[in-house]
Amino acid sequence: MSDKAFDLKIVEAKEGFFDREAVIKQLDPITRKVLNRFGAYVRITSRGYIKKARRKSERDLDPQERKRYRRASAIALYYGRAKPLLPFKPSEEGKPPKTITGLLKKFIFYSYDRTTHSAVIGPALMNSPTGAPAALEFGGTAELTGGPDRGQTIEIKPRPYMKPAFELGLKQLDRFWTEAARR
């Protein structure tokens, strides 16, 4: 598995989709079928690892979060507004990430890479790349793009979601070749 999967732009991914005329002409039918099936398998598996984030309960908050939440609740009560929402509970280090917006899960693509003659599978870069998809997979830093902490850079511990899916796909690769050759 390479970092190239984390540099994939949406336009580049679409050009390499396995139903595009250029890809159909370049690959023999069996290879195209196997790479397409492998890419689809890894994509679906990796998307399955990413679960929806749940909110913390008040007792799960650390003392500082609890103080901020209670202050915000008191202010909301004073002004007759609804109580603020509790923060989301992140995934544990080493476990696949949780999603709040669903964008990470939605924008995992796979396509054919003409330079390496292989399938590239991974999250496509958005208009304002934050570094989050790669940082989630390998660990590193990412820039926050929303909320009161916008522009702040944070450290992220590894939460792999592509590598485990890729390794499962590799175990299925012999079966994909066997089935493609039979048909």
Side-chain angles (χ1 to χ4, degrees):
M1 195 175 112
S2 73
D3 290 350
K4 182 169 177 110
F6 293 93
D7 295 331
L8 190 65
K9 292 186 173 91
I10 294 173
V11 173
E12 293 171 357
K14 287 183 176 182
E15 289 173 1
F17 283 175
F18 286 88
D19 62 350
R20 299 294 197 250
E21 192 66 34
V23 175
I24 292 171
K25 286 180 181 177
Q26 192 166 4
L27 291 171
D28 66 275
I30 291 177
T31 304
R32 192 177 101 245
K33 189 177 216 170
V34 170
L35 288 177
N36 188 22
R37 192 144 179 226
F38 177 75
Y41 182 90
V42 172
R43 175 180 183 249
I44 289 168
T45 305
S46 66
R47 289 178 73 185
Y49 286 140
I50 302 169
K51 304 293 183 198
K52 186 167 175 50
R54 304 283 178 231
R55 294 200 180 268
K56 293 180 177 180
S57 67
E58 198 169 339
R59 69 175 179 269
D60 291 337
L61 299 175
D62 63 42
Q64 187 179 12
E65 286 177 319
R66 187 176 294 115
K67 183 178 177 182
R68 275 197 313 258
Y69 178 72
R70 288 185 176 163
R71 182 173 190 276
S73 295
I75 291 169
L77 180 66
Y78 178 80
Y79 287 107
R81 297 185 192 138
K83 271 181 110 174
L85 296 173
L86 288 160
F88 288 99
K89 189 175 187 178
S91 63
E92 296 174 26
E93 182 182 340
K95 302 274 176 119
K98 305 275 185 185
T99 182
I100 296 170
T101 63
L103 288 176
L104 177 64
K105 196 172 185 174
K106 181 179 181 181
F107 284 96
I108 294 176
F109 293 119
Y110 68 97
S111 66
Y112 179 66
D113 182 14
R114 293 182 183 133
T115 57
T116 60
H117 304 290
S118 62
V120 176
I121 314 145
L125 294 174
M126 307 299 284
N127 291 337
S128 58
T130 61
L136 285 169
E137 182 71 27
F138 305 112
T141 60
E143 185 180 326
L144 298 176
T145 58
D149 299 328
R150 170 178 272 149
Q152 182 182 351
T153 302
I154 59 168
E155 184 73 27
I156 299 175
K157 301 287 187 207
R159 287 166 168 81
Y161 56 102
M162 292 303 302
K163 187 176 181 184
F166 181 78
E167 289 171 352
L168 278 176
L170 285 178
K171 292 178 183 177
Q172 301 295 320
L173 200 53
D174 286 341
R175 184 172 61 92
F176 294 158
W177 279 108
T178 305
E179 290 174 1
R182 271 192 228 145
R183 296 179 184 174

